[in-house]
Amino acid sequence: MAISAKSLTVKIGGQSSAGRKPNNQDAFAAKVPTCDELFYKGIALAIADGVSSCDDSHIASQTSVTSFISDYYSTSNSWSVKHSASRVLTGLNAWISQQNNSRKHTDMMCTFSAVILKSHTLSWFHVGDTRIYHWRQNKLDCLTQDHAYKERSHTYLARALGGAARIDVDYSELIIKQGDLVLLTSDGVHEALTHKQINLILSAYEGNPEFTSQMLVDQALVSGSQDNLTAVILEVSALAEPSLEESHELLTSLPIPPALEVGQKIDHFNINKVIFSGTRSHMYQVTDLNTQQDYILKAPSQNFQDDLIYLDGFVREEWVGQHLNHQNVMKTYASPNKTWLYYIAEYIEGMSVRQWMDDHPEPDLIDVRQIMSQTIAGLRAFQRADMVHQDIKPENLMIDKEGRVVIIDFGTTRISGIDELASPLDKSLPQGSVGYLAPEYLMGETGTMQSDLFSLAVVIYEMLLAGLPFEAPKQPKIKSYSDLTYRSATSYGKRLPVWVEACLIKALKANPKERYRAFSEFEQDFNHPNKNLVNAHEKMPLVIRYPLKTWQTSSLILLTICLIQQYWIHTH
């Protein structure tokens, strides 16, 4: 969450010409935002080439580049570049297709390519036969592959925006360096110029992207181009280089308050109750003296004043609570004039699921389902925002007096749009509670919504059986998913309905590829028996269904055989 003071800096320049044609159906657009938009969304550049056989393709190309830019910057800051751009392109293609369908014939189609430079990463998106090139130190690479095929003297597009109701867009990314050039061209340029000619022109680049773009267009025209011509260049002048010093300054700009007592004040908040005061953080129930509203105030412990990863997580927790608006997710509120490092959150009067479990050692399935469904509703809010909570456990689920379940504690939440950013802080190790942590984290992989689903299934398992489904690994990493062995309900001396345990087994598969792929599937199977799942479960060998019980039975049989043999030897 620490934002580098040094800003990403680029130069962008381009030229577009009708060439020998009467009308120009090419278009390009770019945006270099400032402040938060530059940090969260990066710099966007797009080019489109209208299909000449379609009467209104110039509208398609112009609309595509301008709408892509404006809509991309309207997406959530928490979304990754890929998620944001994909959603925009899906909508854009659907709109063009709808226009074509309403006219009963195809009038609008265009090829499309776009790049987004965010932090140190260049992401690119491509459909059709426009191209994206990357130039570094006299070496030119074409990043895209033309979606077109030639037949005699004609070129036919295999893909284009507006050509079908659903569109397949190429996507990839690369790490960018200072001094790199990114070139976008329409086929009127790259069909007339060889790869070597383009490389020679870029090698002569002297800091003026508009001039070099014009050279490319002019040279293509001289080389006999019969099409519209467009070339756009982005020069990476400077990259945002985050440093530990900058991160330390940003994260420690406000002092950490000391442990507070009832009756004390911090800014305009009065301390009414100390909820807990630990080695990592302090939490209080407070009243805003300006509005008389009650809140929760959480502050980090002074023990962590030099732990930048911890402080980064604390700031992240406040950010998540302000950007998710859902009744099953704890809200945090902005405090623009605070003079200490803390955050304000909604006051949830109730108990944690851990306390609820202690009070309900033999819970009714109906109550468990209600907690599960509300937790899933909150986790869907994380999923829509391209976030993964990463620390679902009984202590991080609150139940208020009205029975509302609220997800709290966002210090380890993975925010796709922010985790794409270069950072000097090492966040490679999972920080969630090991007993509830999805195995993919222990394999060094990135968490997804299936990781949160796994953790929720652990909580439900524990509610029903008062134990955990796996033995916690002794090491912080595992080599194989087979290192974890599921504990059946019988290992705790309890029984669950077969369809309930079959559902939990699938949700708790160590390998995420074998788990449910959606919260809705898990919720459906936990609420209603899935006959196919039950049948598959009952066909499994006993050694897989009940490994502990099978081992115990086998051991008992072997022991009995040994005793009989000993008795036979001694009596004969």
Side-chain angles (χ1 to χ4, degrees):
M1 296 299 294
I3 303 174
S4 172
K6 186 178 178 181
S7 179
L8 173 65
T9 307
V10 301
K11 293 179 183 177
I12 297 177
Q15 292 291 338
S16 186
S17 169
R20 293 182 172 86
K21 287 194 171 185
N23 299 309
N24 189 357
Q25 293 185 320
D26 289 357
F28 72 90
K31 182 172 180 179
V32 183
T34 57
C35 302
D36 282 356
E37 272 196 335
L38 178 61
F39 175 71
Y40 289 114
K41 309 304 291 184
I43 294 162
L45 171 62
I47 186 174
D49 179 1
V51 177
S52 58
S53 60
C54 301
D55 293 339
D56 290 332
S57 283
H58 63 288
I59 299 175
S61 58
Q62 292 167 6
T63 302
S64 295
V65 296
T66 56
S67 294
F68 176 81
I69 298 287
S70 62
D71 292 351
Y72 170 75
Y73 285 98
S74 298
T75 58
S76 171
N77 288 340
S78 64
W79 289 5
S80 67
V81 168
K82 181 180 180 181
H83 184 54
S84 297
S86 298
R87 288 284 290 269
V88 170
L89 286 172
T90 299
L92 193 56
N93 181 73
W95 180 83
I96 298 174
S97 296
Q98 186 180 30
Q99 297 302 306
N100 289 333
N101 291 335
S102 65
R103 303 177 187 204
K104 298 183 179 180
H105 59 281
T106 303
D107 281 335
M108 299 169 61
M109 277 202 307
C110 67
T111 66
F112 180 88
S113 298
V115 296
I116 295 169
L117 177 57
K118 178 179 176 182
S119 188
H120 289 198
T121 302
L122 181 82
S123 302
W124 55 262
F125 305 84
H126 167 70
V127 56
D129 62 355
T130 44
R131 288 184 185 174
I132 303 172
Y133 293 90
H134 172 243
W135 183 91
R136 177 185 294 166
Q137 296 179 346
N138 295 324
K139 185 177 185 297
L140 180 69
D141 292 312
C142 184
L143 303 180
T144 54
Q145 181 176 358
D146 294 346
H147 302 136
Y149 61 93
K150 289 187 177 181
E151 193 172 282
R152 296 179 182 176
S153 59
H154 294 286
T155 299
Y156 299 93
L157 285 173
R159 292 190 225 166
L161 282 183
R166 298 184 65 179
I167 189 68
D168 185 14
V169 179
D170 289 351
Y171 161 79
S172 191
E173 59 184 38
L174 61 87
I175 301 302
I176 211 76
K177 291 185 179 181
Q178 183 174 330
D180 286 3
L181 299 180
V182 180
L183 168 67
L184 279 66
T185 60
S186 64
D187 60 347
V189 172
H190 56 253
E191 287 291 335
L193 297 178
T194 65
H195 191 89
K196 184 177 181 180
Q197 285 176 305
I198 296 174
N199 189 35
L200 285 172
I201 293 172
L202 292 181
S203 297
Y205 178 81
E206 294 183 350
N208 189 333
E210 194 164 337
F211 176 76
T212 304
S213 297
Q214 185 68 63
M215 285 184 63
L216 287 163
V217 168
D218 291 345
Q219 186 60 49
L221 199 57
V222 169
S223 298
S225 176
Q226 300 296 313
D227 206 345
N228 300 149
L229 310 98
T230 301
V232 194
I233 293 174
L234 180 150
E235 175 200 340
V236 183
S237 304
L239 290 169
E241 297 287 354
S243 67
L244 280 173
E245 291 76 14
E246 289 174 335
S247 296
H248 186 275
E249 182 178 348
L250 289 164
L251 291 169
T252 59
S253 58
L254 291 175
I256 296 176
L260 302 170
E261 298 178 356
V262 173
Q264 288 186 307
K265 294 180 179 61
I266 179 169
D267 292 336
H268 51 91
F269 296 99
N270 185 71
I271 308 297
N272 300 330
K273 179 182 178 181
V274 179
I275 297 176
F276 70 76
S277 184
T279 57
R280 291 181 61 83
S281 61
H282 309 284
M283 184 176 286
Y284 314 94
Q285 190 261 308
V286 301
T287 299
D288 186 338
L289 298 176
N290 293 336
T291 64
Q292 299 306 308
Q293 291 290 318
D294 289 338
Y295 297 99
I296 292 296
L297 185 149
K298 185 175 180 180
S301 168
Q302 290 185 332
N303 296 331
F304 290 86
Q305 60 184 353
D306 293 320
D307 189 332
L308 298 187
I309 294 179
Y310 170 83
L311 294 177
D312 186 74
F314 187 86
V315 175
R316 176 181 297 247
E317 188 168 358
E318 179 182 24
W319 193 94
V320 171
Q322 290 179 17
H323 286 78
L324 290 180
N325 184 20
H326 194 277
Q327 64 175 359
N328 298 116
V329 180
M330 182 187 73
K331 296 178 178 64
T332 62
Y333 305 98
S335 304
N337 298 318
K338 62 185 179 184
T339 59
W340 299 87
L341 183 59
Y342 61 81
Y343 71 76
I344 298 298
E346 65 173 308
Y347 177 43
I348 304 168
E349 192 172 2
M351 67 176 73
S352 70
V353 166
R354 173 66 68 196
Q355 293 171 296
W356 186 90
M357 289 165 59
D358 292 340
D359 293 345
H360 300 79
E362 299 288 339
D364 192 295
L365 262 179
I366 294 176
D367 295 329
V368 175
R369 287 182 183 131
Q370 289 176 346
I371 293 172
M372 178 196 70
S373 63
Q374 292 192 64
T375 305
I376 285 177
L379 289 175
R380 283 198 183 106
F382 281 85
Q383 186 181 9
R384 286 192 296 271
D386 215 1
M387 300 184 193
V388 183
H389 185 279
Q390 300 196 131
D391 196 16
I392 295 296
K393 59 184 179 181
E395 290 77 9
N396 287 342
L397 300 174
M398 295 291 295
I399 305 175
D400 71 10
K401 288 188 173 182
E402 284 72 43
R404 176 178 63 116
V405 177
V406 184
I407 301 171
I408 66 171
D409 197 344
F410 316 130
T412 61
T413 295
R414 179 177 177 269
I415 310 167
S416 297
I418 291 177
D419 284 6
E420 292 176 322
L421 300 165
S423 172
L425 305 181
D426 179 11
K427 303 172 188 176
S428 58
L429 294 177
Q431 300 174 43
S433 300
V434 174
Y436 304 89
L437 202 63
E440 51 265 34
Y441 293 115
L442 305 177
M443 293 281 288
E445 298 173 4
T446 302
T448 66
M449 56 75 54
Q450 288 178 294
S451 309
D452 282 349
L453 188 152
F454 178 93
S455 299
L456 175 58
V458 174
V459 174
I460 295 170
Y461 181 102
E462 187 178 13
M463 285 183 188
L464 297 172
L465 300 175
L468 296 177
F470 299 94
E471 182 179 352
K474 296 178 181 179
Q475 301 296 328
K477 291 191 176 183
I478 59 175
K479 295 181 180 179
S480 169
Y481 289 124
S482 61
D483 291 349
L484 300 177
T485 303
Y486 173 81
R487 293 169 172 165
S488 67
T490 56
S491 66
Y492 287 103
K494 297 185 179 182
R495 296 188 69 84
L496 290 174
V498 174
W499 59 274
V500 170
E501 183 156 26
C503 171
L504 287 174
I505 288 173
K506 183 171 182 179
L508 290 167
K509 288 290 187 182
N511 189 334
K513 294 180 180 178
E514 299 176 4
R515 279 180 225 146
Y516 289 102
R517 297 189 176 276
F519 289 118
S520 57
E521 295 176 1
F522 175 44
E523 188 173 15
Q524 172 69 20
D525 284 0
F526 194 81
N527 289 331
H528 307 281
N530 182 330
K531 292 182 180 179
N532 293 332
L533 189 63
V534 171
N535 290 338
H537 174 68
E538 291 182 335
K539 289 178 181 178
M540 291 171 61
L542 291 174
V543 69
I544 297 177
R545 289 166 57 190
Y546 308 111
L548 180 60
K549 193 171 183 179
T550 303
W551 176 81
Q552 290 173 334
T553 303
S554 302
S555 298
L556 181 60
I557 293 171
L558 289 172
L559 177 61
T560 302
I561 292 172
C562 289
L563 290 174
I564 292 173
Q565 287 178 334
Q566 289 294 323
Y567 175 77
W568 189 85
I569 291 171
H570 285 294
T571 57
H572 293 77

